[in-house]
Coordinates of all heavy atoms in Angstrom, one line a residue:
M171 N 22.5 -28.6 -15.8 CA 23.2 -27.5 -15.2 C 23.6 -27.9 -13.8 O 22.9 -28.5 -13.1 CB 22.3 -26.2 -15.1 CG 21.8 -25.7 -16.5 SD 20.7 -24.4 -16.3 CE 19.2 -25.3 -15.6
T172 N 24.8 -27.4 -13.4 CA 25.1 -27.6 -12.0 C 24.4 -26.5 -11.2 O 23.8 -25.6 -11.7 CB 26.6 -27.4 -11.8 OG1 27.1 -26.1 -12.2 CG2 27.4 -28.4 -12.6
R173 N 24.5 -26.6 -9.8 CA 23.8 -25.6 -9.0 C 24.5 -24.2 -9.1 O 23.8 -23.2 -9.1 CB 23.9 -26.1 -7.5 CG 23.2 -25.1 -6.5 CD 23.5 -25.5 -5.1 NE 22.8 -26.7 -4.8 CZ 22.9 -27.3 -3.5 NH1 23.7 -26.8 -2.6 NH2 22.2 -28.5 -3.4
Q174 N 25.7 -24.2 -9.4 CA 26.5 -23.0 -9.6 C 26.0 -22.3 -10.8 O 25.7 -21.0 -10.8 CB 27.9 -23.3 -9.7 CG 28.8 -22.0 -9.8 CD 30.2 -22.1 -9.9 OE1 30.7 -23.3 -10.2 NE2 31.1 -21.1 -9.7
V175 N 25.7 -23.0 -11.9 CA 25.1 -22.4 -13.1 C 23.7 -21.9 -12.8 O 23.3 -20.8 -13.2 CB 25.1 -23.4 -14.2 CG1 24.4 -22.9 -15.4 CG2 26.5 -23.9 -14.6
C176 N 22.9 -22.7 -12.1 CA 21.5 -22.2 -11.8 C 21.5 -21.0 -10.9 O 20.7 -20.0 -11.1 CB 20.8 -23.3 -11.0 SG 20.4 -24.9 -11.9
D177 N 22.5 -20.8 -10.0 CA 22.6 -19.7 -9.1 C 23.0 -18.5 -10.0 O 22.5 -17.4 -9.8 CB 23.6 -19.9 -8.1 CG 23.2 -20.9 -7.0 OD1 22.0 -21.1 -6.9 OD2 24.1 -21.4 -6.2
A178 N 23.9 -18.7 -10.9 CA 24.3 -17.6 -11.8 C 23.1 -17.2 -12.7 O 22.9 -16.0 -12.9 CB 25.4 -18.0 -12.7
L179 N 22.3 -18.2 -13.1 CA 21.1 -17.8 -14.0 C 20.1 -17.0 -13.1 O 19.4 -16.2 -13.6 CB 20.4 -19.1 -14.4 CG 19.4 -19.1 -15.6 CD1 20.1 -18.6 -16.8 CD2 18.9 -20.5 -15.7
A180 N 20.0 -17.2 -11.8 CA 19.1 -16.5 -11.0 C 19.4 -15.1 -10.9 O 18.6 -14.2 -10.5 CB 19.1 -17.2 -9.5
E181 N 20.6 -14.7 -11.3 CA 21.0 -13.3 -11.2 C 20.5 -12.5 -12.3 O 20.5 -11.2 -12.2 CB 22.6 -13.1 -11.2 CG 23.3 -13.8 -10.0 CD 22.9 -13.1 -8.7 OE1 22.8 -11.9 -8.7 OE2 22.7 -13.8 -7.7
Y182 N 20.0 -13.1 -13.3 CA 19.4 -12.4 -14.5 C 18.0 -11.9 -14.0 O 17.1 -12.7 -13.7 CB 19.3 -13.3 -15.7 CG 20.7 -13.4 -16.4 CD1 21.6 -14.2 -15.8 CD2 20.9 -12.9 -17.6 CE1 22.9 -14.3 -16.5 CE2 22.0 -13.0 -18.3 CZ 23.1 -13.8 -17.7 OH 24.2 -13.8 -18.4
G183 N 17.8 -10.6 -14.2 CA 16.5 -10.1 -13.7 C 15.5 -9.7 -14.7 O 14.4 -9.2 -14.3
E184 N 15.7 -10.0 -16.0 CA 14.9 -9.5 -17.1 C 13.5 -10.3 -17.1 O 13.6 -11.5 -16.7 CB 15.5 -9.5 -18.4 CG 15.9 -10.9 -18.9 CD 17.4 -11.0 -19.1 OE1 18.2 -10.6 -18.2 OE2 17.8 -11.5 -20.2
N185 N 12.5 -9.7 -17.6 CA 11.2 -10.4 -17.7 C 11.1 -11.2 -19.0 O 10.3 -12.1 -19.1 CB 10.1 -9.5 -17.6 CG 9.7 -9.1 -16.1 OD1 9.2 -10.0 -15.4 ND2 10.0 -7.9 -15.7
N186 N 11.8 -10.8 -20.0 CA 11.7 -11.3 -21.4 C 12.7 -12.5 -21.4 O 13.9 -12.3 -21.7 CB 12.0 -10.4 -22.5 CG 10.9 -9.3 -22.7 OD1 9.9 -9.5 -23.0 ND2 11.3 -8.0 -22.1
L187 N 12.2 -13.6 -21.0 CA 13.1 -14.8 -20.9 C 13.2 -15.6 -22.1 O 12.2 -16.1 -22.6 CB 12.5 -15.7 -19.7 CG 12.5 -15.0 -18.3 CD1 11.8 -16.0 -17.3 CD2 13.9 -14.6 -17.8
I188 N 14.4 -15.9 -22.6 CA 14.7 -16.8 -23.6 C 15.7 -17.8 -23.1 O 16.9 -17.5 -23.1 CB 15.2 -16.1 -24.9 CG1 14.2 -15.2 -25.5 CG2 15.4 -17.3 -25.9 CD1 12.8 -15.8 -25.8
F189 N 15.2 -18.9 -22.5 CA 16.1 -19.8 -21.6 C 17.4 -20.2 -22.3 O 18.5 -20.0 -21.7 CB 15.2 -20.9 -21.1 CG 15.9 -21.7 -20.0 CD1 15.8 -21.3 -18.7 CD2 16.4 -22.9 -20.3 CE1 16.4 -22.0 -17.7 CE2 17.0 -23.7 -19.3 CZ 16.9 -23.2 -18.0
R190 N 17.2 -20.7 -23.5 CA 18.4 -21.4 -24.1 C 19.5 -20.3 -24.5 O 20.6 -20.6 -24.5 CB 18.0 -22.2 -25.3 CG 17.4 -21.4 -26.4 CD 16.7 -22.3 -27.5 NE 15.4 -22.8 -27.0 CZ 14.6 -23.4 -27.8 NH1 14.8 -23.7 -29.0 NH2 13.4 -23.8 -27.3
G191 N 18.9 -19.1 -24.8 CA 19.9 -18.0 -25.1 C 20.7 -17.6 -23.9 O 21.9 -17.3 -24.1
L192 N 20.0 -17.5 -22.8 CA 20.7 -17.1 -21.6 C 21.7 -18.1 -21.1 O 22.8 -17.7 -20.6 CB 19.6 -16.9 -20.4 CG 18.7 -15.7 -20.6 CD1 17.7 -15.7 -19.3 CD2 19.4 -14.4 -20.6
L193 N 21.4 -19.4 -21.3 CA 22.4 -20.4 -20.9 C 23.7 -20.2 -21.7 O 24.8 -20.3 -21.1 CB 21.8 -21.8 -21.3 CG 20.7 -22.3 -20.4 CD1 20.3 -23.7 -20.7 CD2 21.2 -22.3 -18.9
K194 N 23.7 -19.9 -23.0 CA 24.9 -19.9 -23.8 C 25.7 -18.6 -23.4 O 26.9 -18.6 -23.5 CB 24.4 -19.7 -25.2 CG 23.9 -21.1 -25.8 CD 25.0 -22.1 -25.9 CE 26.1 -21.7 -26.9 NZ 27.2 -22.7 -26.9
Q195 N 25.0 -17.6 -22.8 CA 25.6 -16.4 -22.4 C 26.4 -16.5 -21.1 O 27.2 -15.7 -20.7 CB 24.7 -15.2 -22.3 CG 24.4 -14.6 -23.7 CD 23.6 -13.3 -23.6 OE1 23.0 -13.0 -22.6 NE2 23.7 -12.5 -24.6
L196 N 26.0 -17.5 -20.2 CA 26.5 -17.6 -18.9 C 28.0 -17.9 -18.9 O 28.7 -17.6 -18.0 CB 25.8 -18.8 -18.2 CG 24.3 -18.5 -17.7 CD1 23.8 -19.7 -17.1 CD2 24.3 -17.4 -16.7
G197 N 28.5 -18.6 -19.9 CA 29.9 -19.0 -19.8 C 29.9 -20.4 -19.1 O 29.2 -21.4 -19.4
F198 N 30.9 -20.6 -18.2 CA 31.1 -21.8 -17.5 C 31.7 -22.8 -18.5 O 31.7 -22.6 -19.7 CB 29.9 -22.4 -16.8 CG 29.4 -21.6 -15.7 CD1 28.4 -20.5 -15.8 CD2 30.0 -21.7 -14.4 CE1 28.1 -19.8 -14.7 CE2 29.5 -20.9 -13.3 CZ 28.6 -20.0 -13.5
R199 N 32.2 -24.0 -18.0 CA 32.6 -25.0 -18.9 C 31.5 -25.8 -19.4 O 30.7 -26.4 -18.7 CB 33.6 -25.9 -18.1 CG 34.3 -26.9 -19.0 CD 35.3 -27.8 -18.3 NE 35.9 -28.7 -19.2 CZ 36.5 -29.8 -18.8 NH1 36.5 -30.2 -17.6 NH2 37.0 -30.6 -19.7
Q200 N 31.2 -25.7 -20.7 CA 30.0 -26.3 -21.3 C 30.4 -27.2 -22.5 O 31.4 -27.1 -23.1 CB 29.1 -25.1 -21.8 CG 29.7 -24.1 -22.6 CD 28.6 -22.9 -22.8 OE1 28.1 -22.9 -23.8 NE2 28.6 -22.1 -21.9
S201 N 29.4 -28.1 -22.8 CA 29.6 -29.0 -23.9 C 28.3 -29.4 -24.5 O 27.3 -29.4 -23.8 CB 30.2 -30.2 -23.4 OG 30.2 -31.3 -24.4
P202 N 28.2 -29.5 -25.8 CA 27.0 -29.9 -26.5 C 26.8 -31.4 -26.3 O 27.8 -32.2 -26.1 CB 27.1 -29.6 -27.9 CG 28.6 -29.7 -28.1 CD 29.2 -29.2 -26.8
C203 N 25.5 -31.9 -26.4 CA 25.3 -33.3 -26.4 C 24.1 -33.5 -27.4 O 23.0 -32.9 -27.3 CB 24.8 -33.8 -25.0 SG 24.4 -35.5 -24.8
Y204 N 24.3 -34.4 -28.4 CA 23.4 -34.7 -29.4 C 22.3 -35.7 -29.1 O 22.8 -36.8 -28.6 CB 24.1 -34.9 -30.7 CG 25.0 -33.8 -31.1 CD1 26.3 -33.6 -30.7 CD2 24.5 -32.7 -32.0 CE1 27.1 -32.5 -31.1 CE2 25.3 -31.7 -32.5 CZ 26.5 -31.6 -32.0 OH 27.3 -30.5 -32.3
F205 N 21.1 -35.5 -29.4 CA 20.0 -36.5 -29.0 C 19.0 -36.5 -30.2 O 18.9 -35.6 -31.0 CB 19.5 -36.1 -27.7 CG 18.6 -34.9 -27.8 CD1 17.2 -35.0 -27.9 CD2 19.2 -33.7 -27.5 CE1 16.4 -33.9 -27.9 CE2 18.4 -32.5 -27.5 CZ 17.0 -32.6 -27.7
N206 N 18.2 -37.5 -30.2 CA 17.2 -37.7 -31.2 C 15.8 -37.3 -30.6 O 15.6 -37.4 -29.4 CB 17.0 -39.2 -31.6 CG 18.2 -39.7 -32.4 OD1 18.7 -38.9 -33.4 ND2 18.8 -40.7 -32.1
V207 N 15.0 -36.7 -31.4 CA 13.6 -36.3 -31.0 C 12.7 -37.4 -31.3 O 12.7 -37.9 -32.4 CB 13.3 -35.0 -31.6 CG1 11.8 -34.6 -31.2 CG2 14.2 -33.9 -31.2
K208 N 11.9 -37.8 -30.3 CA 10.9 -38.9 -30.6 C 9.5 -38.3 -30.9 O 9.3 -37.1 -30.7 CB 10.9 -39.8 -29.4 CG 12.1 -40.5 -29.0 CD 11.9 -41.3 -27.8 CE 13.2 -42.2 -27.5 NZ 13.0 -43.1 -26.3
D209 N 8.7 -39.1 -31.4 CA 7.3 -38.7 -31.6 C 6.6 -38.5 -30.3 O 6.8 -39.3 -29.4 CB 6.5 -39.7 -32.6 CG 7.2 -39.8 -33.9 OD1 7.9 -38.8 -34.3 OD2 6.9 -40.8 -34.6
R210 N 5.7 -37.6 -30.2 CA 4.9 -37.3 -29.0 C 3.9 -38.6 -28.8 O 3.3 -39.1 -29.7 CB 3.9 -36.1 -29.2 CG 3.1 -35.9 -28.1 CD 2.2 -34.7 -28.4 NE 2.9 -33.4 -28.0 CZ 2.8 -32.8 -27.0 NH1 2.1 -33.2 -25.9 NH2 3.5 -31.7 -26.7
E211 N 4.0 -39.1 -27.6 CA 3.3 -40.4 -27.3 C 1.8 -40.1 -27.1 O 1.0 -41.0 -27.4 CB 3.9 -41.0 -26.0 CG 5.3 -41.6 -26.3 CD 5.8 -42.6 -25.2 OE1 4.9 -42.8 -24.3 OE2 6.9 -43.0 -25.3
A212 N 1.4 -38.9 -26.5 CA 0.1 -38.6 -26.2 C -0.1 -37.2 -26.3 O 0.8 -36.4 -26.1 CB -0.4 -39.2 -24.9
G213 N -1.4 -36.7 -26.4 CA -1.6 -35.3 -26.4 C -1.2 -34.6 -27.8 O -0.8 -35.3 -28.7
E214 N -1.2 -33.2 -27.7 CA -0.7 -32.6 -28.9 C 0.1 -31.3 -28.4 O 0.0 -30.8 -27.3 CB -2.0 -32.1 -29.7 CG -2.9 -31.2 -28.9 CD -4.2 -30.9 -29.7 OE1 -4.4 -31.6 -30.7 OE2 -4.9 -30.0 -29.3
S215 N 0.8 -30.7 -29.3 CA 1.7 -29.6 -29.1 C 0.8 -28.4 -28.8 O -0.2 -28.1 -29.4 CB 2.6 -29.4 -30.3 OG 3.3 -28.1 -30.0
H216 N 1.2 -27.6 -27.9 CA 0.5 -26.3 -27.5 C 1.1 -25.1 -28.1 O 0.8 -24.0 -27.9 CB 0.5 -26.1 -26.0 CG -0.2 -27.3 -25.3 ND1 -1.5 -27.5 -25.4 CD2 0.3 -28.2 -24.5 CE1 -1.8 -28.7 -24.6 NE2 -0.7 -29.1 -24.1
F217 N 2.1 -25.4 -29.0 CA 2.8 -24.3 -29.7 C 2.2 -24.1 -31.1 O 2.4 -24.8 -32.0 CB 4.2 -24.5 -29.9 CG 5.1 -24.1 -28.7 CD1 5.5 -25.1 -27.8 CD2 5.5 -22.8 -28.5 CE1 6.3 -24.7 -26.7 CE2 6.2 -22.4 -27.3 CZ 6.7 -23.4 -26.5
S218 N 1.3 -23.0 -31.2 CA 0.7 -22.6 -32.5 C 1.7 -21.9 -33.3 O 2.7 -21.4 -32.8 CB -0.5 -21.8 -32.2 OG -0.2 -20.6 -31.6
P219 N 1.4 -21.7 -34.6 CA 2.4 -20.9 -35.4 C 2.6 -19.4 -34.9 O 3.6 -18.9 -35.0 CB 1.7 -20.9 -36.7 CG 0.9 -22.2 -36.8 CD 0.4 -22.4 -35.4
L220 N 1.3 -18.9 -34.4 CA 1.5 -17.6 -33.8 C 2.3 -17.5 -32.5 O 3.3 -16.5 -32.3 CB 0.1 -17.1 -33.3 CG 0.0 -15.7 -32.8 CD1 0.5 -14.7 -33.8 CD2 -1.4 -15.3 -32.5
K221 N 2.3 -18.6 -31.7 CA 3.2 -18.5 -30.5 C 4.6 -18.7 -30.9 O 5.5 -18.2 -30.3 CB 2.7 -19.7 -29.6 CG 1.5 -19.5 -28.8 CD 1.2 -20.6 -27.7 CE 0.0 -20.3 -27.0 NZ -0.3 -21.4 -26.0

Side-chain angles (χ1 to χ4, degrees):
M171 301 174 287
T172 63
R173 181 184 296 175
Q174 186 180 11
V175 173
C176 295
D177 289 342
L179 198 62
E181 296 297 319
Y182 282 72
E184 64 243 49
N185 277 290
N186 293 288
L187 299 175
I188 303 297
F189 192 76
R190 68 193 74 173
L192 292 178
L193 285 182
K194 291 291 293 178
Q195 284 191 334
L196 284 175
F198 294 94
R199 191 180 178 199
Q200 54 186 261
S201 171
C203 181
Y204 297 87
F205 69 95
N206 293 312
V207 177
K208 299 180 177 180
D209 296 339
R210 176 183 278 266
E211 295 192 3
E214 58 183 19
S215 174
H216 301 291
F217 275 99
S218 65
L220 182 58
K221 285 186 177 180

